[in-house]
Amino acid sequence: MSMFNRRGIFLQKLGPSAVNPNEVLVSMQFALKEETWDAKNFATTTALLDTTTLIASSSDGGQSFKIRNFNKDVDGDGDIDAEDMMKLLALAKAYLSISTP
């Protein structure tokens, strides 16, 4: 996020685990950034608002993903549907394909 754009997505790759070497998790945190001026300390403070974290899990090394507890309208069309899920799954798979973020 920058000072020009308050929206952000933080992505993190987790896995594989000792139990399943093909397991991959991608954590996706959606947030809004708010900066305020702290007059007492003469400093800018930053807070993350409206954060939502979703975990995309794969047991086949990232070939396919599943997301549980899905309840986020990510495309802004007013409903939570298969299109939102497809975009999140594509984001997880695209992030996994980046070798040096």
Side-chain angles (χ1 to χ4, degrees):
M1 287 185 270
S2 69
M3 59 188 239
F4 301 111
N5 186 0
R6 296 181 15 167
R7 297 180 338 150
I9 303 172
F10 302 97
L11 302 168
Q12 181 179 14
K13 177 187 171 231
L14 310 166
S17 68
V19 176
N20 183 355
N22 288 324
E23 180 181 45
V24 177
L25 303 175
V26 175
S27 172
M28 300 178 278
Q29 181 183 19
F30 300 85
L32 292 175
K33 179 176 76 168
E34 179 182 72
E35 291 186 349
T36 56
W37 177 252
D38 182 357
K40 181 179 177 184
N41 295 317
F42 301 103
T44 302
T45 59
T46 303
L48 295 180
L49 308 174
D50 191 26
T51 62
T52 301
T53 302
L54 299 170
I55 304 290
S57 62
S58 172
S59 60
D60 59 7
Q63 298 300 314
S64 63
F65 283 94
K66 293 180 182 178
I67 299 176
R68 290 189 214 138
N69 302 329
F70 170 67
N71 61 352
K72 185 82 175 163
D73 177 23
V74 294
D75 58 10
D77 65 357
D79 58 351
I80 301 169
D81 56 10
E83 290 179 10
D84 297 302
M85 179 65 79
M86 286 181 359
K87 289 175 182 169
L88 291 171
L89 295 175
L91 178 61
K93 193 165 186 174
Y95 181 68
L96 188 63
S97 70
I98 298 171
S99 60
T100 54

